[in-house]
Amino acid sequence: MTRNYSHVYTHTYRLTAAQCNAQSELAPAMLVQQIIEVSTEHADLLGIGFERLRHDDNLWVLSRIAFEMKRYPRLLEHYSLSTWIEGYNRHFSERNFEIRGEGGEVLGYARTVWFSINMTTRRPANLESITEIARTISDHPCPIERQGKIRPVNPPQTVHNYTFMLSDIDVNRHVNSARYVELILNQFTLDTFDECFLSRFEIEYKHECHFGKQVEVCSAFDRDATVTAIMLADTPICLARSILTMRDKKLSFDNQ
């Protein structure tokens, strides 16, 4: 089968110490931040980025992300993130990623779902007017499963309070997407991440949260995963599922 890869965009990085976690690897929250960064670059190049959407008083908002990694880039390693749009409809756009290390080794994949919202009403916008998206679809393969439905486990096994402060807020004046990931992973211990790595992570962003809001971070084990809900009173701000794998276990992808 002939594949259309013409709309795949690649950004190359070199991992610095400032971007590493305690295990001298790319921190998962930094990976999320780079996924957002590369998405923004590619959307701008395709003419469907911030400048295009703001004509209609709209902006892109990350709704869901799932990634699977067999390992993370290591300190001083050159690596790349490639991205492409898999599909879209009037409500959302699906954008995928491939992460490769030095020598072209496939390290992982990610799937994301993006909504457009109106900057004034904060309500979902209609993507049908952005006809440029239809010309950017690629069938580059992404062999990991789509994001599944995440339900909080009740009662949670741990509950921690957190108040969002200045450094948690981004240019859109709500809590930064990567900050939620940091808060979720902070529920694990350093010893846990010395022994294991985050092999699959899913997060669903459900509501905005803002400066000064106090939330509860509620975590519990569900089968082989840890499920975390960040709650503002009775409202779930985001839901996440974290799967850890022992560091000596060898993982692979079917369609490298």
Side-chain angles (χ1 to χ4, degrees), residues 78-91:
H78 289 86
Y79 64 100
S80 65
L81 268 66
S82 297
T83 185
W84 62 97
I85 297 174
E86 183 179 71
Y88 85 104
N89 57 34
R90 63 181 296 182
H91 300 296

Side-chain angles (χ1 to χ4, degrees), residues 9-256:
Y9 171 75
T10 300
H11 185 120
T12 300
Y13 295 89
R14 181 175 182 266
L15 187 61
T16 67
Q19 297 168 323
C20 286
N21 56 16
Q23 292 74 36
S24 298
E25 301 167 335
L26 177 66
M30 180 59 66
L31 173 60
V32 170
Q33 193 64 47
Q34 291 177 344
I35 283 173
I36 296 171
E37 176 182 277
V38 174
S39 299
T40 301
E41 292 177 358
H42 190 213
D44 287 340
L45 287 172
L46 294 174
I48 56 174
F50 176 78
E51 291 294 329
R52 169 65 181 83
L53 265 65
R54 76 172 182 172
H55 287 299
D56 299 321
D57 199 31
N58 297 330
L59 56 82
W60 287 112
V61 174
L62 180 60
S63 174
R64 293 186 177 191
I65 182 169
F67 60 80
E68 286 188 21
M69 303 291 292
K70 70 177 185 180
R71 73 167 179 86
Y72 289 80
R74 304 182 180 108
L75 177 62
L76 302 183
E77 182 176 5
H78 289 86
Y79 64 100
S80 65
L81 268 66
S82 297
T83 185
W84 62 97
I85 297 174
E86 183 179 71
Y88 85 104
N89 57 34
R90 63 181 296 182
H91 300 296
F92 61 86
S93 173
E94 295 175 295
R95 174 182 286 277
N96 299 335
F97 294 81
E98 182 180 76
I99 303 98
R100 288 183 178 265
E102 290 184 348
E105 176 191 4
V106 176
L107 305 184
Y109 291 93
R111 291 183 174 274
T112 62
V113 177
W114 297 77
F115 281 84
S116 177
I117 66 169
N118 184 272
M119 289 187 284
T120 301
T121 67
R122 314 306 284 184
R123 299 294 299 168
N126 191 333
L127 294 175
E128 289 181 333
S129 63
I130 310 176
T131 56
E132 297 94 328
I133 298 180
R135 298 192 295 271
T136 65
I137 306 300
S138 174
D139 56 2
H140 193 80
C142 184
I144 68 171
E145 293 184 5
R146 286 178 166 79
Q147 300 89 336
K149 184 70 174 178
I150 305 174
R151 293 182 175 86
V153 177
N154 290 311
Q157 294 171 330
T158 62
V159 178
H160 294 96
N161 293 326
Y162 185 81
T163 300
F164 290 115
M165 304 303 288
L166 178 66
S167 62
D168 300 315
I169 308 304
D170 65 14
V171 69
N172 294 317
R173 300 185 72 86
H174 59 204
V175 177
N176 183 285
S177 299
R179 190 69 73 196
Y180 290 115
V181 179
E182 292 177 331
L183 189 54
I184 290 162
L185 296 184
N186 279 347
Q187 308 312 303
F188 296 97
T189 67
L190 185 61
D191 287 344
T192 297
F193 267 73
D194 284 339
E195 297 174 0
C196 304
F197 72 100
L198 187 65
S199 56
R200 181 173 172 95
F201 181 77
E202 302 177 35
I203 186 167
E204 179 180 356
Y205 301 101
K206 300 183 72 67
H207 294 280
E208 292 181 291
C209 203
H210 301 92
F211 175 84
K213 296 297 184 181
Q214 186 179 78
V215 295
E216 290 185 331
V217 185
C218 306
S219 298
F221 293 102
D222 178 22
R223 298 180 182 174
D224 297 325
T226 299
V227 175
T228 303
I230 297 181
M231 304 292 296
L232 179 63
D234 294 329
T235 301
I237 301 303
C238 65
L239 300 170
R241 181 184 292 113
S242 307
I243 298 177
L244 301 180
T245 298
M246 297 297 294
R247 289 187 173 274
D248 58 359
K249 185 174 181 179
K250 302 297 183 183
L251 303 179
S252 63
F253 296 101
D254 293 333
N255 298 320
Q256 293 186 21

